[in-house]
Amino acid sequence: MKKEILIGFIVGVIATVFGFIFAIQFFGDSDDWGNVIDQAIAEGFFTKLMSIGALLNLGAFFLFLKKNKDHRAKGVLISTILILIITMVIKFMN
């Protein structure tokens, strides 16, 4: 059971990273990810990019539910909540 939750958590983190990279490529003005991240932090929309990146977790969550992998879906939900907490901490620190 714990292994299944860990797998779901890792899938959630990887989905968030891929979503974040996709958001940087789609919404960024430059091909240099460092420039886009620096610009996003300076202009205050870094947390919005993180939130967009976490949207891929929605697909992973419902895919696991459809395949009756409830423990993996729980892991994805835990990773999404962790991303939420990190996003809120970053948002309120600026």
Side-chain angles (χ1 to χ4, degrees):
M1 181 171 97
K2 290 181 182 181
K3 181 181 176 185
E4 293 294 312
I5 292 173
L6 181 63
I7 290 171
F9 180 80
I10 292 171
V11 168
V13 170
I14 290 171
T16 300
V17 169
F18 280 125
F20 182 69
I21 290 171
F22 177 74
I24 287 173
Q25 287 295 106
F26 190 75
F27 295 111
D29 295 334
S30 174
D31 288 335
D32 183 18
W33 293 353
N35 280 345
V36 173
I37 292 172
D38 289 340
Q39 181 182 8
I41 291 171
E43 294 180 12
F45 66 91
F46 180 74
T47 54
K48 291 179 177 121
L49 289 176
M50 286 181 64
S51 298
I52 291 170
L55 283 176
L56 287 181
N57 286 356
L58 191 62
F61 179 76
F62 283 115
L63 179 71
F64 285 142
L65 283 181
K66 184 174 172 95
K67 293 187 174 202
N68 293 324
K69 304 281 186 176
D70 294 340
H71 294 298
R72 289 185 184 187
K74 187 186 298 187
V76 173
L77 184 61
I78 291 169
S79 71
T80 304
I81 291 170
L82 180 67
I83 297 298
L84 168 76
I85 292 169
I86 292 170
T87 303
M88 297 310 276
V89 167
I90 292 172
K91 176 103 175 145
F92 290 117
M93 286 181 65
N94 290 335

